[in-house]
Amino acid sequence: MSERNEGISRRSFVQTLGMGAAAGALQGHAEARLTGQDEGGTGIVGPGPRPITLRINGNDVRLTIEPATTLLDTLRVHAGMTGSKEICDRGSCGGCSVLVNGALTASCMMLACDAEGAEITTVEGLGTEEALDPVQEAFIRHDALQCGYCTPGLVVAARALLDATPRPSLDEIKQGLSGNICRCGTYTNIFNAVLEASGQAPVTDAEVNRG
Amino acid sequence: MNADAGTIAMPDTIDEALDAMAANPDLIPVAGATDLFVHWPEHLEAHERSYLDLSHLHELRGITFTEETITLGAGTSYWDVIRDPRFRDELPILVNAARTVGAVQIQTRGTWAGNIANASPAADGVPALMACDATVHLASAARGETTVPLADFYLGYKQMRREPDELITRITLPRRAYDFQYFEKVGARNAQTIAKVGVSMTHAAESGWRIAAASVAPVTLRCRNLEAQLDDEGRPASPDDFESALQADGVAPIDDIRSTAAYRSKVIACIIWHALA
């Protein structure tokens, strides 16, 4: 990828920006109340930042966040992981999809502090640039995107579907991906990518639209 | 002013949760938070709200089948039911209802008990549970456990038989040999949509008809007059023959952002009539 040859890639710039914002927010709240879990009683958190540890793509990541922060904002702003997209921020579009203990989850609809102790898998955790996830390879081969903004969420949703249902029918694919909206309307190519990633033959637009 | 505004209480046990609710009647219990996050405040304290986060209460998890009863812990998600083959075999009405709630991302987080407590008249899970004669189990620190039949749980729009210090702990359903189960939801699309009209129906020899309707009244409605008509007379010649029973049951839809009163009145009768064909 050409990004790698530049002095500072766009991705690492965004990451640096994210970390800086987090650090700034921390200093600003240095005097704020900080309450954690009490031993043997009901933990009361907030307002005020709180240290948490999230297990993201197999790594423990220590962060300090406001308890009201969604998992999505925590990933993007505090952890600098911008693969999960913030589009609707209200559970309607699927752009922020991640796996939480294997379950497909809208990260904009979950508090980061509720994800403590869980295995979180983001799109960054699916495959590497050298060895893509079969879903990612199939998306590329089928040109299953136009603008690409919904793609990370769709790749994660497709991975979740195939983990549970290794050879899904077209109906099962539609159902499994129904929480992910592609405004460019590349659904036929998306479905065909998932069919290929599960070793199945492609379908036509007419078959997709039949019901 | 809520003294604890801007806080989230995170109990580890039901007893801790009930003590917290007794101490602060303004606490809002939250499970999957899928309704809450549609309007989630960036700064909690600005909304002067405090929440009781139930998502770590393992005591609320779990589904059990005994000879007579099915119990859903209040933490049971739609996904838990979709994945459980016992429901596919015995209560597909619940699986079908669960599959229409948002999409997978919502189904993995949203809970049946949360659907009950959110008290939306457009709920999908509530009418399905109501058609299965669900009972709501509540607990409070002061008064212990109480139960309320789901069909009697709602008193008016967003009004229910849950006191501020009470937490829904589980939902129970009688096990029956249903010979008919039916769930239908009419929305703008098949996923990520809220019902314009919803209907859930069951029939068993021992219980007769059970019919619950969504989005046609301020509450999810059990249609007892219609049930009696079907028990006595069976399917009529025309969906128009349901009109007086549905009116007596309180079906009184409104025009709103999702549909019109006229459409809803017509469609609910037609759905039920076609389901019986």
Side-chain angles (χ1 to χ4, degrees):
Chain A
M1 291 221 162
S2 63
E3 260 188 10
R4 297 201 151 180
N5 301 327
E6 296 165 15
I8 178 167
S9 73
R10 182 180 169 277
R11 176 163 297 170
S12 66
F13 173 73
V14 173
Q15 280 176 346
T16 309
L17 199 68
M19 294 300 192
L26 268 181
Q27 282 161 7
H29 281 98
E31 302 296 313
R33 183 153 69 102
L34 199 155
T35 43
Q37 298 270 11
D38 302 324
E39 286 296 322
T42 298
I44 306 264
V45 299
R50 175 174 189 263
I52 64 166
T53 302
L54 295 179
R55 183 131 186 105
I56 307 172
N57 301 329
N59 301 309
D60 284 327
V61 181
R62 294 171 61 82
L63 302 161
T64 302
I65 58 159
E66 281 285 336
T69 311
T70 63
L71 178 57
L72 175 61
D73 281 345
T74 303
L75 289 170
R76 288 182 59 85
V77 177
H78 298 270
M81 300 175 71
T82 53
S84 309
K85 299 305 177 202
E86 182 166 350
I87 306 175
C88 75
D89 203 23
R90 52 188 295 168
S92 298
C93 72
C96 67
S97 297
V98 298
L99 306 181
V100 177
N101 289 333
L104 186 63
T105 301
S107 61
C108 73
M109 291 212 126
M110 184 178 192
L111 292 179
C113 47
D114 280 339
E116 266 194 296
E119 289 284 343
I120 301 160
T121 306
T122 69
V123 71
E124 291 95 335
L126 299 181
T128 62
E129 286 183 29
E130 293 74 28
L132 294 176
D133 187 284
V135 169
Q136 292 169 318
E137 283 185 19
F139 265 66
I140 293 168
R141 218 163 14 246
H142 284 271
D143 200 14
L145 58 137
Q146 187 170 302
C147 82
Y149 211 66
C150 68
T151 309
L154 272 157
V155 166
V156 172
R159 184 73 263 153
L161 171 68
L162 296 183
D163 285 347
T165 312
R167 282 178 68 87
S169 66
L170 180 58
D171 277 349
E172 287 172 325
I173 294 172
K174 286 182 178 179
Q175 197 157 48
L177 303 185
S178 63
N180 295 71
I181 292 173
C182 166
R183 279 197 72 180
C184 305
T186 61
Y187 293 107
T188 300
N189 292 6
I190 291 166
F191 298 157
N192 280 332
V194 178
L195 284 167
E196 183 187 294
S198 54
Q200 302 183 82
V203 293
T204 62
D205 279 331
E207 285 170 287
V208 167
N209 294 330
R210 199 166 290 154
Chain B
M1 166 80 195
N2 174 0
D4 296 330
T7 65
I8 303 171
M10 294 189 164
D12 291 319
T13 66
I14 292 176
D15 284 344
E16 285 178 17
L18 298 182
D19 287 343
M21 292 176 81
N24 180 3
D26 293 324
L27 269 183
I28 301 169
V30 180
T34 51
D35 284 293
L36 186 64
F37 270 99
V38 175
H39 303 289
W40 181 247
E42 252 179 80
H43 300 287
L44 276 178
E45 55 273 40
H47 287 238
E48 298 190 0
R49 286 179 177 173
S50 49
Y51 297 95
L52 182 71
D53 184 339
L54 305 171
S55 57
H56 298 283
L57 286 185
H58 295 291
E59 288 170 89
L60 295 180
R61 308 289 300 186
I63 298 166
T64 55
F65 281 61
T66 62
E67 203 171 311
E68 312 244 297
T69 308
I70 299 168
T71 303
L72 308 179
T76 303
S77 69
Y78 301 106
W79 196 242
D80 292 334
V81 167
I82 291 168
R83 277 190 313 181
D84 191 326
R86 293 173 295 183
F87 288 100
R88 225 173 299 149
D89 298 337
E90 189 169 326
L91 281 175
I93 185 172
L94 295 190
V95 177
N96 293 341
R99 284 203 178 281
T100 72
V101 179
V104 178
Q105 290 91 334
I106 305 298
Q107 292 156 13
T108 56
R109 296 287 300 164
T111 64
W112 298 86
N115 203 220
I116 292 173
N118 188 54
S120 165
D124 300 318
V126 175
L129 291 170
M130 203 179 277
C132 298
D133 272 346
T135 298
V136 183
H137 296 248
L138 301 132
S140 66
R143 297 176 306 286
E145 290 217 11
T146 58
T147 61
V148 184
L150 180 56
D152 302 330
F153 191 64
Y154 298 110
L155 304 167
Y157 179 69
K158 296 262 180 186
Q159 302 295 306
M160 64 197 113
R161 293 207 164 98
R162 182 182 80 76
E163 300 299 325
D165 66 343
E166 280 180 329
L167 183 68
I168 299 177
T169 54
R170 61 189 188 276
I171 304 160
T172 53
L173 310 167
R175 287 188 86 173
R176 286 187 186 134
Y178 289 114
D179 52 35
F180 185 92
Q181 298 183 39
Y182 181 80
F183 176 88
E184 184 62 83
K185 166 181 173 177
V186 180
R189 59 194 289 265
N190 287 336
Q192 298 287 51
T193 193
I194 293 172
K196 297 171 190 279
V197 177
V199 175
S200 292
M201 303 169 67
T202 65
H203 183 274
E206 62 191 284
S207 52
W209 286 102
R210 290 289 183 276
I211 301 172
S215 282
V216 291
V219 299
T220 301
L221 215 56
R222 167 133 177 233
C223 302
R224 288 189 168 88
N225 290 282
L226 187 63
E227 291 169 6
Q229 179 184 339
L230 291 180
D231 285 336
D232 295 344
E233 302 164 24
R235 184 176 186 249
S238 154
D240 295 338
D241 298 324
F242 289 140
E243 192 181 326
S244 59
L246 287 172
Q247 267 188 7
D249 282 322
V251 169
I254 56 169
D255 293 343
D256 67 11
I257 186 170
R258 287 182 207 106
S259 188
T260 64
Y263 177 86
R264 288 168 156 142
S265 296
K266 182 87 180 160
V267 166
I268 184 174
C270 288
I271 291 174
I272 296 167
W273 193 75
H274 283 290
L276 295 167

